[in-house]
Amino acid sequence: MSELNYNFPNVSRHVYDIDAFQILDDLRLRCQNNVDTFPENNINLENISFEEMELVKLFSDKEGIDITQNAKYRNLIIYSKSNIYNNYLGYKLLTIDKYKIGPLLSYQSLLFQGNDYASAGNFIGLVEFLVYDFVKSRIYSFEEVRLKKIMDWVERNSLDLITKAYTKKSNKSLPNPESISDKIIAMDPAFAKIFCEKFEIHIDKSQKKLLWDLIFDESSKEKICFQGNINQVVELFKRLRYNSKLKVRTLKLLTDWILVNFCVKVDDEILELNRETITQILSKTNLEPAKGNRILEELGAFIPKNMRKKVDS
């Protein structure tokens, strides 16, 4: 009886999977087909070979996995939890049939589990603000239709995916929240996305994912460090509340939420927030920042005390 030949590796590969070695081979073919006519492009065969060596080294050094056999058989699925997923998704968008870009992104959005650059619910943000720029810097002059296909998909799916991510069951960041089934603070999902994009300028780049996790999942592994004065960040949430952009049942819940999830950084010094200070800013007007010092007024206009709705309880 003859021995059965085992064909390594035995994997199931979907046409829209992020298979690193298949993508590298497609990049080589793309480069070979265009290198003479369009030499301005910054991807060349040497770059691609270096990328492959780095891929093998990365798995060996960081994960202790020898993928030389995967390289031999040109087969290695990159999962979305890996930070190299972002680049390989970009490479896939450069090499796949341009008319399949939409289905590719829809397929990947269903599988996306989040990584250090985007939380699980923020695949749209990953594509719009990271992967899109990656592709744009590497396309040939005749390939701009790929950028249009990407942004057409983002625009078509943005609200549905953001709403789905925002309304999924969340993990509570407070130990004993009064609200059991609802979010402690609630925003319109589309507004929540805009809020995160705007508020990012006031925190360190390394904490952007934490912000999205907090607003969309109500979970944060560490406090978000606001770069400014205490009354600026507290008054922002107060202003969003009386403009009905942010819903929270009581000022006490809002105080607890801010206290648990935020600190401030002033002159390179990180300061913990004080419950009494937060309460005073939320309930009184004399500690609110002066005109010119309020942040993000485009998200919620300042309204004089006597014209605000009764939301102080």
Side-chain angles (χ1 to χ4, degrees):
M1 181 184 239
S2 62
E3 290 184 3
L4 293 174
N5 290 323
Y6 178 66
N7 217 1
F8 176 90
N10 184 20
V11 299
S12 175
R13 180 168 68 192
H14 191 281
V15 65
Y16 298 137
D17 278 337
I18 307 301
D19 189 324
F21 291 113
Q22 178 195 42
I23 291 170
L24 290 169
D25 290 342
D26 289 343
L27 278 174
R28 286 188 175 93
L29 181 61
R30 172 179 178 270
C31 184
Q32 290 166 353
N33 289 340
N34 297 287
V35 66
D36 294 328
T37 309
F38 301 96
E40 82 281 3
N41 187 264
N42 62 3
I43 298 179
N44 56 46
L45 293 175
E46 184 177 347
N47 296 149
I48 298 167
S49 295
F50 177 78
E51 191 84 29
E52 182 164 333
M53 288 189 296
E54 286 296 295
L55 178 69
V56 174
K57 186 174 184 298
L58 175 70
F59 273 80
S60 175
D61 291 350
K62 291 194 173 182
E63 302 188 31
I65 300 174
D66 183 353
I67 61 170
T68 53
Q69 288 298 301
N70 298 80
K72 176 182 177 181
Y73 289 97
R74 317 308 291 166
N75 201 321
L76 179 71
I77 306 298
I78 303 295
Y79 301 108
S80 59
K81 283 192 172 182
S82 170
N83 289 333
I84 63 171
Y85 167 85
N86 310 327
N87 287 359
Y88 278 89
L89 175 59
Y91 286 141
K92 182 81 170 179
L93 289 166
L94 284 168
T95 56
I96 196 172
D97 182 334
K98 59 181 176 289
Y99 295 108
K100 292 184 177 181
I101 284 176
L104 164 68
L105 292 173
S106 294
Y107 176 86
Q108 286 298 321
S109 72
L110 295 174
L111 300 181
F112 187 65
Q113 299 176 47
N115 54 43
D116 288 344
Y117 292 90
S119 57
N122 193 27
F123 182 74
I124 282 279
L126 180 81
V127 173
E128 184 176 359
F129 297 108
L130 185 65
V131 177
Y132 175 88
D133 288 341
F134 181 92
V135 174
K136 185 178 181 179
S137 67
R138 290 164 175 81
I139 60 168
Y140 293 116
S141 55
F142 67 93
E143 291 184 310
E144 289 192 355
V145 66
R146 293 185 181 273
L147 299 177
K148 182 178 186 304
K149 293 290 185 182
I150 293 170
M151 292 311 298
D152 283 349
W153 181 87
V154 167
E155 185 175 2
R156 190 168 58 250
N157 291 278
S158 183
L159 184 58
D160 285 346
L161 287 179
I162 288 295
T163 301
K164 190 179 297 183
Y166 188 79
T167 55
K168 72 181 181 179
K169 186 176 181 180
S170 63
N171 297 316
K172 300 304 182 183
S173 58
L174 296 178
N176 295 298
E178 295 178 23
S179 177
I180 297 173
S181 58
D182 299 327
K183 287 178 177 289
I184 296 166
I185 70 161
M187 302 178 184
D188 175 82
F191 179 81
K193 176 177 181 287
I194 294 171
F195 170 81
C196 288
E197 293 168 358
K198 290 276 193 178
F199 194 77
E200 284 176 355
I201 194 174
H202 296 287
I203 62 176
D204 190 86
K205 291 180 180 179
S206 65
Q207 291 200 310
K208 287 182 178 181
K209 181 178 178 295
L210 287 173
L211 175 66
W212 284 82
D213 287 344
L214 173 62
I215 298 301
F216 279 82
D217 296 339
E218 290 198 332
S219 64
S220 184
K221 295 178 181 178
E222 61 185 80
K223 290 187 177 184
I224 295 168
C225 194
F226 174 76
Q227 297 179 346
N229 294 323
I230 294 174
N231 64 345
Q232 288 179 305
V233 66
V234 175
E235 188 270 343
L236 170 63
F237 290 115
K238 176 182 182 177
R239 187 166 8 104
L240 293 179
R241 186 173 185 244
Y242 67 63
N243 276 280
S244 300
K245 297 293 187 180
L246 178 153
K247 295 179 181 179
V248 58
R249 291 195 303 167
T250 66
L251 286 182
K252 180 182 181 302
L253 274 176
L254 181 55
T255 299
D256 291 344
W257 183 81
I258 294 173
L259 187 66
V260 167
N261 293 296
F262 289 89
C263 59
V264 295
K265 185 176 183 180
V266 181
D267 297 329
D268 294 325
E269 183 181 0
I270 296 177
L271 304 174
E272 293 295 328
L273 302 186
N274 176 276
R275 179 181 297 277
E276 181 62 26
T277 302
I278 297 172
T279 301
Q280 290 292 317
I281 297 170
L282 289 175
S283 61
K284 300 182 183 300
T285 59
N286 62 312
L287 293 180
E288 294 177 353
K291 183 178 181 179
N293 288 326
R294 293 188 287 266
I295 64 170
L296 301 179
E297 287 193 79
E298 66 271 26
L299 296 182
F302 174 80
I303 301 175
K305 173 71 173 179
N306 62 347
M307 298 177 64
R308 297 174 194 172
K309 296 178 182 179
K310 183 64 176 176
V311 292
D312 293 334
S313 59

